[in-house]
Amino acid sequence: MLFSCSNYKILPDIIQLLPDNIANQIAAGEVIQRPASAVKELLENAVDAGADEIKLVVNDAGKALVQVIDNGKGMSETDARMAFERHATSKIRNIDDLFHIKTMGFRGEALASIAAVAQVELKTKRAEDETGVYIQIENSVVKVQEPVAANTGSSIAMKNLFFNVPARRNFLKSNAAELRHIVDEFIRVAMAFPEIFFSLSSNGQEVFHLEKGTLKQRIVQILGNSYNAKLVSVQEQTDYMNIFGFVGKPETAKKTRGDQYFFVNNRFIKSAYLNHAVMNAFDDMIAKDSFPMYALFIDLNPEHLDINVHPTKQEIKFEDEKIVYAFVQSAVKHALAQFSITPTLDFELDASIQQLDAVSKPVSDEKKSSTASSSLYHTFSQKNQAHFIENKSELRHWKDFYEPASNENQQAIQPGNYNVQPTIHEQQPVGDQPVHGNELLQLHNTYIIVQNDKGYLLINQQNAHERILYEKFMLAMDGKAVATQQSLFPVTIELAPADAVLLSELVSDLQVLGYQLEPFGKNTFVIQGTPADVGQGNEKTAIEKMLEQYKHFSNDMKFSKREKITRSLSMQQAIKPGTILTQKEMHALTDELFACKIPNTTANGKPTYMAFKKEELDKMFGR
Ligand SMILES: Nc1ncnc2c1ncn2[C@@H]1O[C@H](COP(=O)(O)OP(=O)(O)O)[C@@H](O)[C@H]1O
Ligand SMILES: [Mg+2]
């Protein structure tokens, strides 16, 4: 030994190249995060291949299988093999091509990524070839390659995603959530290519079947018939850019952002900036917290764009954002004005629009003066009206004011006797029916006044009913049996495909809540009974509104699925203002409200009643 220094050791070099399959797995993380990422990549490849018929098949929300079958141009044997190499692409040759891209793909990463994290089977044939080729590849290793009889086009199946990366597999969400991501990606591609036939089957059931047609037809096929005759065409052309597409009439605006699509050169993009431009164009035509539908296509020279910003390419950089913003805004404004839809707004239909009407429309002078002369106006505009209302902390002591009706009375009234159907009730003339205990008074067909010798409560019937339903549904979720009322005739409802996917997720919970609801084939459900507490008639609208409300809560991580359903249903099913209630119904409503665990607010924290103490009233009058 030349050196005797004991603490000196020769350390080996430590840097090594990663084996290809591991490098690929790491790189794949950028491109394939979940089954829906593969859906997007495979659908885009099929579009790029010039197919006019593209079928998507998924099993187990894409976790077991994502397969795309197209009738595009197919691949040669060599290309089929090459396609799985990283950075292998037929779509660009040099860096300049990046700025003239006409295809959806260009990175040459998708198939390599998929092959690194799943088992892949490719079957493909070009029109000019007699036989096709079959390739089976997993973990980036080719297992089988052989000739096969095939139709012209390609079929690529991705099986058991992340079978070799268990940590990633564990990160996948529930089937319901993953399926929703898949539907989103499917819609984004299908919307942009109405000239291509698309279908989507999930676990053997066809969810979408989109015949070739116009953009307008495609929008209605995807988003549902409710948009039929409710779309306004947007179309402007300049030398710099073109825009075309549709916006929904203001009355179709929803509480959720769901139905909003921007495409730049036929590529779906997310842009809060351009969304703002559209919202600005709608201005005060829609309520502040609602979202108009739009599907807008902006075409401009790719030289003015950089689509290379993000691997999944949903973000985009414009050379001049401000021009695009101004253009989008004025195009939409112009379209809305041209179709002069403002006067056709139906304010009776939607409470939120009604509210908007009251808030944002200046009251005419005439109306103002007539209101001002009414005594009610004077009462409510008095400076000290704030004293009139108890402060909130005292509301808890509702028991001070309210003593439930006598036992005899409670027995006479079946819970849930009030009905949500405004039309079938007639106001009982006062004194027509002897009422045990207090006579209740309904104000504006919206409020109920309950008095006793300590003062009175002003109950908001909608909020009160919402609280009652919420607690009942919560109990039902915990296993308390719920009464169902059979429908006289079964009602079938057909939903937009994406809503049908969502409703299928909720069916079992809705059954627990007393709905007799079953899937009934394609996007259709049959309702044979509803919870005894909710009214019948209009089941379709009720379900659609419930779904809408549910989606509204969907982004709210703090609510569980059950909480979301319970809240949505109770909000949608509560009796509305303007519903005339009988004495019996008002009594039932008040009794049930004060039998609730938390009677004083709705689940969302809106007060259900205000309490007015007699002694406060006396004080106000100097007594
Ligand atoms: N469905 C298909 N039909 C024909 N060719 C395809 C198909 N899918 C992929 N390819 C070929 O495989 C190549 C690699 O695909 P991909 O990894 O998605 O990269 P990119 O789409 O960015 O080029 C494509 O450039 C194309 O030539
Ligand atoms: Mg691709």
Side-chain angles (χ1 to χ4, degrees), residues 186-205:
F186 175 85
I187 288 177
R188 288 164 186 178
V189 179
M191 184 89 86
F193 298 94
E195 68 281 8
I196 300 177
F197 166 91
F198 284 92
S199 69
L200 163 56
S201 305
S202 164
N203 293 338
Q205 251 225 340

Tab-separated table of all heavy atoms in Angstrom, residues 186-205:
chain	number	residue	atom	x	y	z
A	186	PHE	N	-63.175	14.532	-23.941
A	186	PHE	CA	-63.902	14.065	-25.126
A	186	PHE	C	-64.687	15.222	-25.745
A	186	PHE	O	-64.629	15.469	-26.952
A	186	PHE	CB	-64.850	12.921	-24.726
A	186	PHE	CG	-65.736	12.435	-25.830
A	186	PHE	CD1	-65.287	11.479	-26.732
A	186	PHE	CD2	-67.027	12.937	-25.971
A	186	PHE	CE1	-66.113	11.038	-27.760
A	186	PHE	CE2	-67.847	12.498	-27.003
A	186	PHE	CZ	-67.389	11.546	-27.888
A	187	ILE	N	-65.403	15.955	-24.898
A	187	ILE	CA	-66.231	17.064	-25.391
A	187	ILE	C	-65.366	18.126	-26.065
A	187	ILE	O	-65.712	18.669	-27.110
A	187	ILE	CB	-67.039	17.693	-24.225
A	187	ILE	CG1	-68.153	16.746	-23.792
A	187	ILE	CG2	-67.613	19.047	-24.627
A	187	ILE	CD1	-68.965	17.244	-22.610
A	188	ARG	N	-64.210	18.406	-25.460
A	188	ARG	CA	-63.353	19.467	-26.008
A	188	ARG	C	-62.878	19.140	-27.419
A	188	ARG	O	-62.715	20.019	-28.244
A	188	ARG	CB	-62.155	19.689	-25.089
A	188	ARG	CG	-62.548	20.362	-23.805
A	188	ARG	CD	-61.487	20.230	-22.756
A	188	ARG	NE	-61.957	20.774	-21.492
A	188	ARG	CZ	-61.253	20.765	-20.369
A	188	ARG	NH1	-60.039	20.229	-20.363
A	188	ARG	NH2	-61.751	21.270	-19.274
A	189	VAL	N	-62.635	17.870	-27.679
A	189	VAL	CA	-62.212	17.499	-29.035
A	189	VAL	C	-63.433	17.414	-29.952
A	189	VAL	O	-63.435	17.952	-31.059
A	189	VAL	CB	-61.427	16.169	-29.030
A	189	VAL	CG1	-61.021	15.788	-30.449
A	189	VAL	CG2	-60.182	16.291	-28.152
A	190	ALA	N	-64.493	16.766	-29.467
A	190	ALA	CA	-65.676	16.550	-30.317
A	190	ALA	C	-66.322	17.872	-30.725
A	190	ALA	O	-66.830	18.018	-31.832
A	190	ALA	CB	-66.685	15.678	-29.585
A	191	MET	N	-66.283	18.849	-29.828
A	191	MET	CA	-66.878	20.155	-30.120
A	191	MET	C	-66.139	20.840	-31.270
A	191	MET	O	-66.741	21.517	-32.096
A	191	MET	CB	-66.776	21.021	-28.854
A	191	MET	CG	-67.418	22.368	-28.953
A	191	MET	SD	-69.127	22.289	-28.466
A	191	MET	CE	-68.995	22.498	-26.706
A	192	ALA	N	-64.831	20.649	-31.323
A	192	ALA	CA	-64.017	21.364	-32.307
A	192	ALA	C	-64.096	20.741	-33.700
A	192	ALA	O	-63.698	21.361	-34.678
A	192	ALA	CB	-62.561	21.411	-31.840
A	193	PHE	N	-64.609	19.507	-33.790
A	193	PHE	CA	-64.633	18.847	-35.096
A	193	PHE	C	-66.013	18.255	-35.383
A	193	PHE	O	-66.174	17.031	-35.424
A	193	PHE	CB	-63.548	17.763	-35.157
A	193	PHE	CG	-62.156	18.313	-35.002
A	193	PHE	CD1	-61.537	18.363	-33.761
A	193	PHE	CD2	-61.474	18.828	-36.113
A	193	PHE	CE1	-60.264	18.898	-33.614
A	193	PHE	CE2	-60.199	19.359	-35.974
A	193	PHE	CZ	-59.594	19.395	-34.726
A	194	PRO	N	-66.996	19.126	-35.622
A	194	PRO	CA	-68.356	18.611	-35.850
A	194	PRO	C	-68.457	17.797	-37.145
A	194	PRO	O	-69.410	17.042	-37.314
A	194	PRO	CB	-69.226	19.874	-35.930
A	194	PRO	CG	-68.297	21.000	-36.157
A	194	PRO	CD	-66.958	20.602	-35.599
A	195	GLU	N	-67.452	17.938	-38.019
A	195	GLU	CA	-67.487	17.198	-39.282
A	195	GLU	C	-66.994	15.761	-39.101
A	195	GLU	O	-66.997	14.976	-40.033
A	195	GLU	CB	-66.690	17.937	-40.365
A	195	GLU	CG	-65.175	18.000	-40.156
A	195	GLU	CD	-64.713	19.055	-39.140
A	195	GLU	OE1	-65.568	19.656	-38.456
A	195	GLU	OE2	-63.492	19.264	-39.014
A	196	ILE	N	-66.583	15.431	-37.874
A	196	ILE	CA	-66.144	14.062	-37.583
A	196	ILE	C	-67.175	13.376	-36.687
A	196	ILE	O	-67.693	13.994	-35.749
A	196	ILE	CB	-64.772	14.066	-36.850
A	196	ILE	CG1	-63.710	14.730	-37.727
A	196	ILE	CG2	-64.352	12.660	-36.455
A	196	ILE	CD1	-62.337	14.845	-37.054
A	197	PHE	N	-67.488	12.108	-36.978
A	197	PHE	CA	-68.358	11.333	-36.096
A	197	PHE	C	-67.564	10.922	-34.859
A	197	PHE	O	-66.432	10.451	-34.968
A	197	PHE	CB	-68.870	10.079	-36.814
A	197	PHE	CG	-69.499	9.077	-35.868
A	197	PHE	CD1	-70.853	9.129	-35.593
A	197	PHE	CD2	-68.724	8.101	-35.241
A	197	PHE	CE1	-71.431	8.232	-34.708
A	197	PHE	CE2	-69.292	7.196	-34.352
A	197	PHE	CZ	-70.651	7.260	-34.089
A	198	PHE	N	-68.139	11.110	-33.675
A	198	PHE	CA	-67.506	10.654	-32.432
A	198	PHE	C	-68.484	9.828	-31.614
A	198	PHE	O	-69.677	10.127	-31.590
A	198	PHE	CB	-67.104	11.840	-31.547
A	198	PHE	CG	-65.886	12.583	-31.987
A	198	PHE	CD1	-65.995	13.690	-32.825
A	198	PHE	CD2	-64.625	12.197	-31.554
A	198	PHE	CE1	-64.877	14.394	-33.231
A	198	PHE	CE2	-63.502	12.894	-31.949
A	198	PHE	CZ	-63.615	13.991	-32.790
A	199	SER	N	-67.973	8.801	-30.961
A	199	SER	CA	-68.799	8.148	-29.945
A	199	SER	C	-67.951	7.852	-28.725
A	199	SER	O	-66.722	7.771	-28.806
A	199	SER	CB	-69.421	6.865	-30.493
A	199	SER	OG	-68.418	5.891	-30.687
A	200	LEU	N	-68.618	7.739	-27.594
A	200	LEU	CA	-67.936	7.370	-26.347
A	200	LEU	C	-68.749	6.296	-25.648
A	200	LEU	O	-69.944	6.482	-25.384
A	200	LEU	CB	-67.800	8.596	-25.431
A	200	LEU	CG	-67.496	8.344	-23.941
A	200	LEU	CD1	-66.231	7.525	-23.733
A	200	LEU	CD2	-67.356	9.669	-23.190
A	201	SER	N	-68.125	5.145	-25.407
A	201	SER	CA	-68.784	4.103	-24.623
A	201	SER	C	-68.017	3.905	-23.335
A	201	SER	O	-66.789	3.874	-23.337
A	201	SER	CB	-68.802	2.770	-25.371
A	201	SER	OG	-69.385	2.948	-26.623
A	202	SER	N	-68.761	3.762	-22.259
A	202	SER	CA	-68.152	3.528	-20.956
A	202	SER	C	-68.733	2.245	-20.383
A	202	SER	O	-69.955	2.123	-20.272
A	202	SER	CB	-68.457	4.733	-20.063
A	202	SER	OG	-68.229	4.410	-18.719
A	203	ASN	N	-67.884	1.299	-20.046
A	203	ASN	CA	-68.321	-0.019	-19.564
A	203	ASN	C	-69.428	-0.613	-20.430
A	203	ASN	O	-70.421	-1.120	-19.920
A	203	ASN	CB	-68.816	0.071	-18.118
A	203	ASN	CG	-67.686	0.394	-17.161
A	203	ASN	OD1	-66.513	0.152	-17.468
A	203	ASN	ND2	-68.020	0.944	-16.021
A	204	GLY	N	-69.276	-0.517	-21.723
A	204	GLY	CA	-70.228	-1.147	-22.637
A	204	GLY	C	-71.469	-0.328	-22.924
A	204	GLY	O	-72.293	-0.721	-23.746
A	205	GLN	N	-71.621	0.805	-22.265
A	205	GLN	CA	-72.797	1.644	-22.521
A	205	GLN	C	-72.401	2.853	-23.343
A	205	GLN	O	-71.440	3.564	-22.998
A	205	GLN	CB	-73.380	2.130	-21.201
A	205	GLN	CG	-74.691	1.492	-20.843
A	205	GLN	CD	-75.696	2.527	-20.359
A	205	GLN	OE1	-75.321	3.624	-19.959
A	205	GLN	NE2	-76.962	2.165	-20.410
